[in-house]
Amino acid sequence: MKEYIMASLLQGFEEVQLVKPVGKTVMTVTDSVVRFNKATAEVLNFPAQVKILINDKTRQIAVTPTTAKANNAVKFSKGEGKQTTSVSIKNAVLVEAISKYFTLVEAPEGEVSFASVNGTAYPEDKTVIFDVANATAGTMKRRGRKKAE
């Protein structure tokens, strides 16, 4: 009887979901690397391998976890719980396939040209989709060691 009263008392209530909201998912493309920010890696749950899918008609790029045995699997992170930073993929074939959808501006000496696009996260499906139409282009200072002149 007590169970019934409790059930009717809480009818219409929903539990508070204790999942923190996802930050902005961002993919950055340069002529040599495709970088996914930490929020993107978190939505995907830091998989060791991903598949990158391109929809040529809608000009969208999707990232979703896969297994190492899958065809076209790309090394993504060190695995769940082992990575806490953004992920850079330098696979030349992949970089070329993605970068052809973006127009990179001429970069001044000592800088690198990039295109950046926010993604739409689908945490239930462990997928992030980036819409090329929403990309912004720019240049940034080169990271890493300065080359001796």
Side-chain angles (χ1 to χ4, degrees), residues 46-133:
F46 294 99
Q49 308 281 329
V50 295
K51 269 193 180 182
I52 310 279
L53 306 143
I54 297 175
N55 184 328
D56 194 52
K57 280 195 177 96
T58 61
R59 297 179 58 80
Q60 291 175 309
I61 297 163
V63 185
T64 191
T66 192
T67 63
K69 291 184 176 128
N71 288 340
N72 303 311
V74 179
K75 184 166 175 23
F76 190 73
S77 77
K78 296 176 183 130
E80 189 179 340
K82 297 179 186 159
Q83 180 130 0
T84 55
T85 59
S86 63
V87 174
S88 296
I89 298 175
K90 294 181 174 153
N91 178 306
V93 175
L94 184 77
V95 171
E96 186 179 328
I98 291 176
S99 62
K100 75 178 186 186
Y101 288 90
F102 298 92
T103 306
L104 299 178
V105 296
E106 273 299 311
E109 186 69 37
E111 292 191 12
V112 64
S113 178
F114 74 92
S116 182
V117 61
N118 288 353
T120 304
Y122 300 93
E124 315 77 48
D125 300 314
K126 288 196 171 46
T127 299
V128 180
I129 297 177
F130 299 92
D131 203 329
V132 173

Side-chain angles (χ1 to χ4, degrees), residues 28-30 35 107 110-114 138-143:
T28 305
V29 179
T30 71
R35 183 174 296 116
E111 292 191 12
V112 64
S113 178
F114 74 92
T139 62
M140 59 187 164
K141 297 266 185 245
R142 262 187 209 285
R143 291 185 176 163

